């Protein structure tokens, strides 16, 4: 999202990853598996945001100026997301807690809501998917 060239390359990679999710891979292909708590912990950059509806990253996080999202998931089961605009200027941040009661089901407890995602580990990417307001929402962190 920071550079058009990187976004295009990331988009092509994501297409390949999505094509392989659930396929089992083999022969050097990308293989996905349910994410574990060890996979969640770390610093992440939201590289690709997809929704079947017409809303943007800004709509999803409640501020039209949001263009970039950096997330930090801690061992203590807390998270912080920092938001930047298209010029990479700081817009705001939120903090909350996260739960992974079973491998693959990640719940983020935001200040104003909770959202459960299917969490997959796909070749070094953290892939989160949820249904919200009838829309398929996918977040791809690297």
């Amino acid at each position: 999202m920071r550079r058009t060239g990187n976004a295009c390359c990331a988009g092509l990679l994501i297409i390949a990853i999505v094509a392989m999710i659930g396929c089992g891979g083999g022969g050097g292909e990308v293989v996905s598996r349910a994410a574990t708590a060890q996979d969640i912990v770390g610093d992440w950059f939201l590289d690709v945001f997809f929704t079947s509806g017409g809303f943007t990253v800004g709509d999803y996080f409640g501020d039209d100026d949001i263009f970039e999202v950096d997330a930090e998931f801690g061992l203590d089961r807390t998270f912080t997301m920092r938001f930047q605009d298209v010029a990479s200027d700081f817009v705001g941040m939120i903090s909350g807690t996260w739960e992974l009661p079973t491998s693959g089901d990640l719940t983020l407890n935001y200040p104003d809501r909770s959202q459960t995602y299917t969490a997959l580990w796909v070749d070094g990417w953290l892939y989160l998917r949820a249904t919200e307001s009838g829309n398929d929402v996918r977040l791809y962190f690297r």
Side-chain angles (χ1 to χ4, degrees), residues 13-36 39 103-104 118-129 140:
L13 177 63
I14 294 305
I15 291 170
I17 289 171
V18 170
M20 295 309 300
I21 290 176
C23 294
E29 297 173 349
V30 175
V31 178
S32 68
R33 62 171 169 74
T36 66
D39 298 326
S103 184
T118 299
L120 297 175
W121 180 255
V122 185
D123 197 32
W125 291 70
L126 178 60
Y127 164 80
L128 305 179
R129 183 177 186 177
Y140 299 87

Side-chain angles (χ1 to χ4, degrees), residues 17-19 21-22 35 46 48-52 60 104-108 115-121 126-132 135-141:
I17 289 171
V18 170
I21 290 176
L46 179 60
V48 178
F49 174 85
F50 168 83
T51 178
S52 61
Y60 188 70
D105 291 326
L106 175 68
T107 299
L108 297 183
Q115 179 68 51
T116 299
Y117 299 87
T118 299
L120 297 175
W121 180 255
L126 178 60
Y127 164 80
L128 305 179
R129 183 177 186 177
T131 301
E132 187 171 319
N135 291 300
D136 180 31
V137 177
R138 301 177 195 176
L139 308 170
Y140 299 87
F141 290 92

Side-chain angles (χ1 to χ4, degrees), residues 8-92:
C8 291
C9 291
L12 293 174
L13 177 63
I14 294 305
I15 291 170
I17 289 171
V18 170
M20 295 309 300
I21 290 176
C23 294
E29 297 173 349
V30 175
V31 178
S32 68
R33 62 171 169 74
T36 66
Q38 291 176 341
D39 298 326
I40 305 295
V41 173
D43 295 330
W44 298 93
F45 172 71
L46 179 60
D47 197 51
V48 178
F49 174 85
F50 168 83
T51 178
S52 61
F55 56 92
T56 65
V57 172
D59 295 331
Y60 188 70
F61 289 106
D63 185 334
D64 291 338
D65 290 335
I66 295 173
F67 183 74
E68 297 179 11
V69 179
D70 293 307
E72 179 183 333
F73 291 92
L75 280 170
D76 62 355
R77 303 285 173 125
T78 61
F79 75 88
T80 301
M81 291 189 184
R82 292 170 192 79
F83 305 119
Q84 297 174 325
D85 63 15
V86 71
S88 296
D89 292 328
F90 179 79
V91 174

